[in-house]
Amino acid sequence: MDISKHQHKNNFDQLPDDIVLFIFNKLWGAQWLCRCSVVSKRFASIVPHINNVSVTLSRYHAWSIEEEVTSPVFNYLVGLKELMHLHIETHFCCAVDWKHSWSPHLKWKVNFNTNVRSFTFLMANFLIRAELPPAEDEGEDEEKEDEEEEIQNEMYIRQDAELDRFNMALACFADSRMKLNIVLDMIKKHQMLRGIMLTDTMKEGKIVVFGNQIAELRNLERAKLSTPEVDSDGVEFLVKCCHLPSLHLPKSKLLMNSPSLLYIRCVNSSSDDEGDDVIDEDMLAGSYDDDKEGVYSEAVEEILAKHKNKMSTAWVT
């Protein structure tokens, strides 16, 4: 009987809790951790002490910018008091009826503190490998190039298409503000958090906060609570946009078809207006999600270097 009992003994039960916790921290996936927590009372007592979690929201959620983030998944995360690293992957957060199918060649990035300070959106129909056109003499050829581009603009970029992309960029801007709200809410609820990354399922954009920036955001949130609210009527949005029929990328040796660059900056009317140099640096700063070869960053550089005169400016309140 003793031999039989020994043979059926679970060797996993012999592991110390620290080793089991080490294994659980390697799982990352919230769904696997939930499954482990229902295996036994011992596992249920260990799982709340994990440090690393990855969450994928499988369905659409619509939150307002002001409201507290609530869902069964986030309610579960609240119980993880020792959470240090969190990765959240979520769908589009805004209720928008897209006229066209979602383009895979769409990227956005944000500059933020407790609010989205600026937003850069870049979209293209497609990317193809293409050799650069032969170099031409400047001067006379510039006028010819401008005439050809005007013809291409009339052929390939219609006003309704530009408006459609403009509305899509505004929707993505609103979506990035929702995502930032999620990030700030997680930072507030998890005091031991050292790093958080939020990406969307289509890899168009991401919000990443690590290290000292988390402490800075907590301090800004506390200061925000103790400071009288700023009148929202004093906030304007500076919008810059540029639509091109095509764009050659010399470093990547790619041709970007019908690229659209749109930049939105939140500007307080009481502050001094910032110059073009600051705005250009803001558009070039940071990186796009899943842009390993730097194609989209190069596209912004090329537009600012060679097509800045085609960029229109508007103010929206």
Side-chain angles (χ1 to χ4, degrees):
M1 290 292 291
D2 291 339
I3 295 175
S4 178
K5 190 175 182 179
H6 179 73
Q7 289 176 342
H8 288 85
K9 197 167 186 178
N10 188 348
N11 292 327
F12 202 88
D13 289 337
Q14 303 303 308
L15 294 176
D17 287 353
D18 290 345
I19 300 299
V20 177
L21 181 60
F22 177 82
I23 295 172
F24 285 172
N25 274 317
K26 297 293 183 179
L27 293 177
W28 273 90
Q31 60 176 342
W32 293 108
L33 293 169
C34 289
R35 291 170 181 171
C36 289
S37 64
V38 299
V39 169
S40 65
K41 291 182 179 180
R42 184 192 181 205
F43 282 11
S45 65
I46 295 174
V47 168
H49 298 285
I50 62 170
N51 306 131
N52 311 319
V53 175
S54 176
V55 176
T56 300
L57 300 182
S58 58
R59 63 185 183 87
Y60 161 83
H61 290 269
W63 294 291
S64 70
I65 297 172
E66 294 81 11
E67 73 176 330
E68 184 179 6
V69 178
T70 57
S71 77
V73 174
F74 290 136
N75 291 338
Y76 170 76
L77 292 178
V78 171
L80 307 179
K81 301 300 183 182
E82 299 180 29
L83 194 60
M84 293 184 181
H85 301 95
L86 176 61
H87 176 211
I88 301 172
E89 189 175 271
T90 178
H91 287 276
F92 205 75
C93 296
C94 298
V96 178
D97 183 17
W98 299 111
K99 294 181 181 179
H100 306 291
S101 61
W102 189 267
S103 170
H105 300 290
L106 185 159
K107 298 291 180 184
W108 58 260
K109 60 183 179 181
V110 294
N111 176 12
F112 61 91
N113 44 39
T114 56
N115 294 297
V116 173
R117 297 178 58 192
S118 66
F119 172 85
T120 306
F121 169 96
L122 183 63
M123 179 179 177
N125 286 344
F126 56 82
L127 290 164
I128 58 172
R129 292 283 172 188
E131 295 295 330
L132 294 179
E136 297 180 347
D137 295 334
E138 297 182 358
E140 296 179 357
D141 294 330
E142 285 183 357
E143 296 179 1
K144 182 178 178 181
E145 183 181 350
D146 289 338
E147 291 176 0
E148 291 176 351
E149 287 186 357
E150 288 177 4
I151 294 173
Q152 287 179 322
N153 271 311
E154 293 176 359
M155 293 176 60
Y156 298 109
I157 303 183
R158 303 186 307 274
Q159 186 174 1
D160 60 339
E162 293 181 5
L163 181 60
D164 187 41
R165 289 193 177 191
F166 184 82
N167 291 332
M168 185 178 291
L170 291 181
C172 288
F173 171 61
D175 184 67
S176 69
R177 298 175 74 191
M178 305 287 185
K179 286 179 166 59
L180 180 59
N181 184 41
I182 295 173
V183 170
L184 294 175
D185 191 68
M186 293 298 104
I187 290 175
K188 180 175 67 176
K189 291 178 177 177
H190 299 280
Q191 295 301 312
M192 294 183 65
L193 202 62
R194 296 180 182 174
I196 178 171
M197 176 186 294
L198 191 149
T199 60
D200 58 50
T201 54
M202 299 297 290
K203 305 298 181 186
E204 279 99 14
K206 64 182 177 182
I207 296 176
V208 182
V209 188
F210 278 102
N212 293 333
Q213 192 178 5
I214 289 182
E216 292 172 3
L217 286 175
R218 286 199 180 104
N219 292 334
L220 286 172
E221 281 286 353
R222 294 189 190 101
K224 188 177 177 181
L225 291 173
S226 61
T227 305
E229 289 189 19
V230 178
D231 186 4
S232 59
D233 293 336
V235 177
E236 292 182 314
F237 294 102
L238 169 67
V239 181
K240 287 181 171 287
C241 57
C242 179
H243 305 280
L244 299 172
S246 62
L247 182 68
H248 284 278
L249 306 178
K251 295 179 184 178
S252 305
K253 296 182 179 180
L254 292 170
L255 176 67
M256 184 173 281
N257 176 264
S258 189
S260 295
L261 173 65
L262 190 138
Y263 172 84
I264 302 174
R265 187 175 185 86
C266 182
V267 180
N268 194 313
S269 59
S270 62
S271 63
D272 296 332
D273 186 18
E274 295 177 324
D276 286 345
D277 291 342
V278 174
I279 292 173
D280 291 353
E281 290 177 4
D282 199 13
M283 277 192 267
L284 294 171
S287 60
Y288 294 94
D289 191 16
D290 200 30
D291 186 25
K292 297 177 182 178
E293 298 181 0
V295 173
Y296 290 87
S297 296
E298 183 186 354
V300 176
E301 291 178 7
E302 288 294 310
I303 291 173
L304 292 178
K306 300 178 181 178
H307 305 280
K308 194 173 179 179
N309 60 325
K310 301 180 180 68
M311 186 169 287
S312 59
T313 304
W315 291 87
V316 180
T317 56

